[in-house]
Amino acid sequence: EAGVVQSPRYKIIEKKQPVAFWCNPISGHNTLYWYLQNLGQGPELLIRYENEEAVDDSQLPKDRFSAERLKGVDSTLKIQPAELGDSAVYLCASSRGQAGDTQYFGPGTRLTVL
Amino acid sequence: AQKVTQAQTEISVVEKEDVTLDCVYETRDTTYYLFWYKQPPSGELVFLIRRNSFDEQNEISGRYSWNFQKSTSSFNFTITASQVVDSAVYFCALGSGNTGKLIFGQGTTLQVKP
């Protein structure tokens, strides 16, 4: 069974530029998560989708971040415009859908904003 | 509020030594889930174990064992006869039984020297 796929693995951009990250969850997993991981810290949830619906986006900075999960499968996370402080690893995870189900993580996208 | 504390920031051991990684959690949920993940230098979070709040049985998987004690709100992880390949950052996480949201600790960096 294929794991969570993310692309790109690395992205370097200049501040004020837009950037997008893509995630394909494990087949059959209804719930999809985007996490932010700063250097030396644990991941923090940005947004959680159940199928197409964003059920928890309370930690997503909506002035510059947006996300979508069309058709309840793949998801895209966008930042526009990027700031220096956005440099971090963006992790995508998926689970079957019940609370407490194991979340499986992708390899992440390491973003560097110059 | 939910919180996970991993008091050990870094641990260094010599190969074949046993090592225990501590995890203390706080939650008001009666149903919750505890997880351990491993993050090797490659960056991907690898799932190790999941326990629910109703199952306090300790678990052993090869060289890995976990000690869950609700009385002290702890979920400690022991590696027996450590190996260089065990070098990584280890995260303990608490999952809500209501929302499934994961709260991660700060992580413990384990270095196993040959």
Side-chain angles (χ1 to χ4, degrees), chain B residues 9-29:
Chain B
T9 304
E10 293 185 21
I11 301 175
S12 181
V13 299
V14 177
E15 206 170 20
K16 298 184 182 178
E17 285 186 21
D18 298 347
V19 58
T20 294
L21 309 181
D22 297 333
C23 173
V24 175
Y25 63 91
E26 297 176 28
T27 182
R28 294 181 179 178
D29 290 349

Side-chain angles (χ1 to χ4, degrees), chain A residues 37 42 48 99-100 102-103 105, chain B residues 33 37 39 44 50 91 97 99-100:
Chain A
Q37 186 176 23
R48 175 168 66 99
T102 298
Q103 295 180 26
F105 285 79
Chain B
Y33 302 84
Y37 287 87
Q39 190 171 42
E44 186 164 350
R50 166 186 177 272
F91 289 97
T99 66

Side-chain angles (χ1 to χ4, degrees), chain A residues 15-62:
Chain A
K15 63 181 180 180
K16 299 184 181 180
Q17 294 299 306
V19 64
F21 315 124
W22 175 81
C23 173
N24 179 250
I26 293 173
S27 178
H29 281 193
N30 298 323
T31 305
L32 184 146
Y33 312 78
W34 283 103
Y35 287 86
L36 165 70
Q37 186 176 23
N38 287 306
L39 187 63
Q41 298 185 20
E44 298 177 12
L45 181 69
L46 288 172
I47 189 168
R48 175 168 66 99
Y49 280 95
E50 289 183 6
N51 298 305
E52 305 88 0
E53 183 181 1
V55 295
D56 184 357
D57 62 356
S58 57
Q59 302 302 310
L60 190 73
K62 299 181 183 63

Side-chain angles (χ1 to χ4, degrees), chain B residues 52-63:
Chain B
N52 71 53
S53 53
F54 298 106
D55 184 0
E56 284 192 75
Q57 283 190 350
N58 293 330
E59 181 153 339
I60 298 174
S61 177
R63 297 184 297 106

